[in-house]
Amino acid sequence: GINAEYGYYITNNLSYAVVESRLMAANEQNAEVTTAPKKVFVQRDYTHGTECKYETNYPTQLEGVIARETFTDTVNKINELFERAEELGCPTYTEGCLSCMTGYLLYFCIETKYSKEMKQISLFIQRQNDEIYHPRGVHIVEPMLRGLRCIELVVYPPPTRPV
């Protein structure tokens, strides 16, 4: 939700600004940051239609920061989670029929399969950030915050020591 006091969007109990300030503080321990963070965008892959799938091409901006295999594994797992969220099956059809019969009041009582899967994607990205990406000065922004158009990676510059 929106934090009225600070005006930041809160996701998983941490605002984007808090994460950014923590990463910058870690980089500034006895150092000065002389350049702004770089943003890298991983675009949607529309070669198989409009399903939510992202390109696995390794961005050159991540060379020397994140291993190619790590990046590819992360994007493939995100793609797999989105595929699972969008798959149609008996539970999805039952949910749709029941919601229609109840005038969509059902959605006040239950959480949809899609929203449960979106939470799983958020948790996966949060774990990846905490365990792999944040220690290397990179932050993955959840695709849901970018309208599922892209995966944004914020690459913070390595600290430079004062002379």
Side-chain angles (χ1 to χ4, degrees):
I2 300 292
N3 184 331
E5 184 178 350
Y6 299 105
Y8 297 132
Y9 185 80
I10 305 294
T11 176
N12 297 329
N13 298 325
L14 285 179
S15 73
Y16 181 69
V18 169
V19 170
E20 186 173 354
S21 66
R22 286 183 184 173
L23 284 173
M24 291 297 283
N27 279 341
E28 289 177 351
Q29 291 176 355
N30 300 324
E32 290 182 23
V33 176
T34 57
T35 58
K38 292 186 286 185
K39 293 185 179 191
V40 179
F41 297 95
V42 178
Q43 300 299 324
R44 287 268 299 263
D45 180 3
Y46 291 103
T47 57
H48 301 288
T50 58
E51 65 188 26
C52 193
K53 185 176 182 179
Y54 296 95
E55 295 176 349
T56 56
N57 300 335
Y58 184 72
T60 57
Q61 298 94 329
L62 294 180
E63 286 183 13
V65 180
I66 299 292
R68 182 179 302 268
E69 297 79 28
T70 303
F71 170 80
T72 305
D73 290 346
T74 300
V75 175
N76 282 335
K77 181 65 175 177
I78 290 171
N79 286 338
E80 178 186 313
L81 291 170
F82 271 112
E83 183 179 330
R84 195 168 56 190
E86 294 177 350
E87 71 185 10
L88 299 175
C90 191
T92 307
Y93 290 120
T94 304
E95 182 181 285
C97 289
L98 287 175
S99 64
C100 188
M101 288 190 291
T102 61
Y104 297 95
L105 294 174
L106 179 71
Y107 292 135
F108 288 116
C109 304
I110 67 162
E111 187 176 23
T112 64
K113 176 186 177 290
Y114 188 78
S115 62
K116 288 177 189 175
E117 294 295 334
M118 290 298 111
K119 285 185 179 178
Q120 290 299 313
I121 294 168
S122 291
L123 289 172
F124 172 73
I125 291 173
Q126 183 179 4
R127 273 195 315 272
Q128 290 291 294
N129 276 333
D130 292 342
E131 296 170 8
I132 298 169
Y133 290 88
H134 285 174
R136 292 174 175 86
V138 178
H139 176 73
I140 302 175
V141 178
E142 293 182 23
M144 289 72 83
L145 297 177
R146 299 293 174 256
L148 301 179
R149 293 169 300 167
C150 62
I151 299 173
E152 178 183 343
L153 293 102
V154 181
V155 182
Y156 292 91
T160 56
R161 300 283 173 210
V163 181

